Amino acid sequence: MDILWIAIVVDLILYGLLGLAVVKLATRFLPPPWNTASFTVPLVVAVGALITLVTFPHWVVFPR
């Protein structure tokens, strides 16, 4: 259970990198509030945290 928090932090970092990649790759196609990293990355991390919380019972680090 000690490494579960590390897995959650790494998961949220990956969501942040995903949001940053969306901003960098689609800056020309996104409307003005969505094409800035300061708006999109926290929103993607928040949605990722919700997904992590919903799927938390399925995160088995040490199966019994």
Side-chain angles (χ1 to χ4, degrees), residues 29-40:
F29 307 111
L30 294 172
W34 292 91
N35 63 1
T36 58
S38 62
F39 179 79
T40 306

Side-chain angles (χ1 to χ4, degrees), residues 21-46:
V22 166
V23 169
K24 293 292 182 184
L25 295 175
T27 302
R28 296 182 293 167
F29 307 111
L30 294 172
W34 292 91
N35 63 1
T36 58
S38 62
F39 179 79
T40 306
V41 172
L43 189 66
V44 171
V45 170

